[in-house]
Amino acid sequence: MATPLKIIMIASECVPYAKTGGLGDVVGALPKALKQMGHDVRIIIPKYASVDARKFGLKPFHSPMGVWMGGVEEWCSADEALTEEGVPVYFIEHQGFFGREGIYNNSRHEDYLDNSRRFAFLTRAALQLCIDRNIEADIVHVHDWPTAPAAAYLKTWFWNSNVLGQAASVLTIHNIGHQGKYGRDQYGYTGLGWEHFTADKFEDLGNINFLKGGIHFADMVTTVSPSYAEETRNTELGAGLSAYLRVKGDAYTGILNGVDYNEWNPETDPFIPARFSAANLEGKAICKAALQQHFGLEVNPNIPVFGVVSRFASQKGLDLLYPAIHTVLKEMAAQFVILGSGEKDLEYKFMQLPAQYPGKVGSFIGYNNELSHWIEAGSDFFLMPSRYEPCGLNQMYSLRYGALPIVHATGGLIDSVEQYDEYDGAGNGFLFWDAGPKSIHNTIGWAVSTYYDRKHHMAKMIQYAMGQRFSWERSAGEYLKVYEQALQRRRQLVR
Ligand code: ADP
């Protein structure tokens, strides 16, 4: 192995302590894989009110700690715990900022009005903790807008620190739709200096843009799939930041997330009615029958089941799937099972569907982890009509469970789903290029005809899909290359 690196991850989420989405999964899984490869990794996150201090064995680590923000000194402390794999996690405790029910918003889904202060403080406090406790770093790896300013702090405030002065910064973008835009009146508190409030750094049409500033200052910027990197660089999916990503050149790249196969493995899954493997698919037939029965569908092994597990948000394209389900059911023998929650209008529509198509559609509105495993295990196909998808996890789970994914060709879906070839049965799923009800209808039709008419191709694709692995070890190897590049860039910059 190359020389072990000292890596600090600073983030607003980390599984199992605090999670709202994929960011939390990555910050939970990547350090584990890096540690197994012999690197020294430490994680710094807030101590939210929701973090169960007793369950996770938090202990006092550093107190009191004074953190200078623009013109004010904030006082806080830090606790410490170890993950199951022995990775140290430091929790920044600040009752005023983090002692609340939610991570970014309250229970009415309203963003906290002081989020710019909360996360600028988190970032500054995390770096201060390293200085105070002499925690040296080769790499400071930050995630999305909340901790993006670390890249700037490192180059402006801590550039001559003994502890952090040599550290290179890596910023990972999990979803460029969230940039951390706030009024310029919030800028002073960050302490970043008005010379950096310019259009190429933190300024965005007169306001602050945390992510944009982070992109400018980070030695390397990554996102969660190679295709999403291209889309954000070159299309409207860059959400206004394409030009700034293009400027980064080779310093912007995409790395596909890995899957936690301890949790998503049909051979050991404790949630599903029967276990199965590529070599023995009998259990999958049992899972399909149980799924059909649970959702009140006709229990019939010869009708293809299409599964959906999703947030109901415009990004996920379920409003495009909804009309396609109606047209498909007019023409074809197929069944649909939908699990999800989110936008009220879609919740209502999908809640009504089983009554309109008795025995053909089942739905559950809500969040239910066990049911999501049932759907992966019991479905023949898995639908993801996302308008955009930075990485996506469900398509990788469904490959492992032999539920062939049917996906819009975007982002991480392009990088994990390979188009079925009707000539020889190659591929692992079905891609469509135009996200609209008509192409969704046609692609489902293609899958249905494959299911009925080309069973040998179905069998071949299922074998291939179930044998594929999108492991964290592979992703961690890619991140290590990025860390090396970041260090090289940083060395050229050190004053
Ligand atoms: P995103 O992070 O954008 O929501 P991903 O496909 O990357 O999309 O990951 C979604 C994760 O959340 C998956 O693990 C999926 O199984 C889970 N999930 C989403 N909605 C539900 C739900 N209603 N019930 C259970 N799990 C869900």
Side-chain angles (χ1 to χ4, degrees):
M1 191 189 70
T3 328
L5 291 175
K6 298 191 198 87
I7 303 154
I8 308 284
M9 297 254 168
I10 311 174
S12 50
E13 305 178 27
C14 173
V15 164
Y17 311 103
K19 169 181 168 176
T20 68
L23 189 168
D25 286 325
V26 173
V27 178
L30 179 58
K32 186 178 7 175
L34 290 167
K35 182 180 162 73
Q36 277 161 6
M37 295 163 104
H39 300 280
D40 176 343
V41 197
R42 290 149 202 265
I43 303 168
I44 308 180
I45 60 171
K47 187 176 174 190
Y48 298 111
S50 55
V51 173
D52 189 333
R54 189 174 298 175
K55 177 175 161 197
F56 294 118
L58 271 63
K59 295 195 181 67
F61 178 67
H62 187 62
S63 179
M65 179 163 72
V67 179
W68 275 104
M69 301 305 294
V72 269
E73 190 171 24
E74 301 279 0
W75 289 94
C76 63
S77 59
D79 286 355
E80 180 189 30
L82 285 180
T83 66
E84 277 178 19
E85 300 78 24
V87 176
V89 185
Y90 305 111
F91 297 82
I92 303 292
E93 169 150 40
H94 184 296
Q95 189 59 22
F97 280 150
F98 304 126
R100 335 179 167 176
E101 55 188 331
I103 295 182
Y104 309 109
N105 47 40
N106 62 24
S107 55
R108 292 185 301 281
H109 295 285
E110 295 156 346
D111 278 0
Y112 293 127
L113 293 176
D114 57 353
N115 272 350
S116 68
R117 291 170 170 252
R118 294 171 75 226
F119 292 108
F121 164 77
L122 165 70
T123 307
R124 237 341 239 116
L127 297 173
Q128 189 67 49
L129 181 67
C130 295
I131 304 262
D132 285 6
R133 296 303 298 260
N134 210 16
I135 302 171
E136 291 178 358
D138 299 307
I139 298 291
V140 172
H141 188 169
V142 292
H143 298 265
D144 274 350
W145 74 264
T147 52
Y153 288 136
L154 282 172
K155 289 212 171 109
T156 57
W157 279 22
F158 297 109
W159 62 272
N160 62 354
S161 145
N162 294 335
V163 182
L164 294 177
Q166 304 291 315
S169 53
V170 175
L171 165 65
T172 294
I173 300 171
H174 298 263
N175 185 338
I176 207 164
H178 306 295
Q179 298 178 4
K181 294 187 191 181
Y182 297 95
R184 64 178 285 151
D185 56 319
Q186 304 286 310
Y187 189 72
Y189 181 82
T190 66
L192 282 163
W194 286 98
E195 68 275 26
H196 304 303
F197 194 72
T198 53
D200 57 333
K201 300 180 190 171
F202 282 95
E203 191 262 350
D204 187 349
L205 300 174
N207 295 316
I208 318 174
N209 185 325
F210 273 52
L211 189 66
K212 188 180 180 192
I215 290 170
H216 173 86
F217 281 101
D219 293 303
M220 286 294 290
V221 180
T222 72
T223 189
V224 288
S225 70
S227 290
Y228 191 60
E230 279 316 300
E231 291 167 349
T232 47
R233 209 195 309 259
N234 295 318
T235 74
E236 72 285 359
L237 289 182
L241 296 183
S242 297
Y244 303 96
L245 292 170
R246 282 198 294 274
V247 169
K248 299 299 283 189
D250 294 342
Y252 179 49
T253 184
I255 299 174
L256 198 68
N257 287 340
V259 164
D260 181 352
Y261 288 112
N262 290 325
E263 196 188 341
W264 296 93
N265 178 357
E267 295 170 35
T268 54
D269 192 328
F271 294 118
I272 57 180
R275 269 137 298 278
F276 57 93
S277 65
N280 184 349
L281 286 164
E282 277 170 30
K284 183 154 176 91
I286 297 172
C287 290
K288 177 170 174 178
L291 185 71
Q292 288 173 318
Q293 186 170 28
H294 181 84
F295 279 96
L297 307 177
E298 181 189 335
V299 180
N300 183 337
N302 300 316
I303 299 180
V305 174
F306 293 79
V308 176
V309 179
S310 182
R311 290 185 288 120
F312 291 171
S314 139
Q315 179 203 335
K316 299 294 178 181
L318 295 185
D319 53 317
L320 309 171
L321 172 65
Y322 180 77
I325 290 180
H326 290 278
T327 56
V328 164
L329 287 175
K330 279 201 189 81
E331 293 175 14
M332 301 169 223
Q335 298 177 342
F336 292 87
V337 175
I338 297 126
L339 165 64
S341 62
E343 287 171 14
K344 295 295 157 208
D345 169 52
L346 282 173
E347 286 192 354
Y348 182 76
K349 282 180 168 159
F350 283 110
M351 200 187 311
Q352 300 295 320
L353 268 186
Q356 288 171 45
Y357 298 99
K360 294 182 176 172
V361 181
S363 71
F364 180 87
I365 307 305
Y367 192 96
N368 187 316
N369 186 42
E370 182 169 356
L371 263 189
S372 73
H373 286 246
W374 272 55
I375 293 175
E376 297 287 3
S379 299
D380 298 294
F381 300 98
F382 194 91
L383 287 159
M384 291 180 78
S386 308
R387 287 191 164 82
Y388 71 97
E389 194 64 80
C391 175
L393 289 170
N394 273 309
Q395 81 280 10
M396 296 192 266
Y397 303 155
S398 57
L399 289 168
R400 185 72 188 89
Y401 283 72
L404 301 180
I406 300 178
V407 304
H408 178 214
T410 182
L413 300 175
I414 298 177
D415 298 328
S416 47
V417 180
E418 298 164 39
Q419 184 69 296
Y420 165 51
D421 185 339
E422 212 172 303
Y423 174 71
D424 59 2
N428 63 11
F430 301 81
L431 292 138
F432 49 89
W433 272 263
D434 159 40
K438 200 166 169 193
S439 48
I440 296 173
H441 169 106
N442 290 341
T443 313
I444 292 175
W446 189 22
V448 169
S449 76
T450 308
Y451 181 87
Y452 286 117
D453 302 334
R454 292 177 297 281
K455 289 193 190 322
H456 57 301
H457 283 177
M458 284 293 296
K460 182 172 174 181
M461 281 197 281
I462 289 169
Q463 287 299 318
Y464 174 49
M466 290 184 72
Q468 288 184 291
R469 293 293 180 273
F470 299 88
S471 72
W472 268 112
E473 290 65 42
R474 185 197 51 82
S475 304
E478 299 283 311
Y479 276 105
L480 282 173
K481 287 184 209 152
V482 165
Y483 292 163
E484 288 299 337
Q485 286 170 275
L487 279 170
Q488 280 167 19
R489 285 173 195 273
R490 180 71 182 135
R491 281 178 197 136
Q492 284 159 16
L493 268 179
V494 168
R495 292 183 233 194

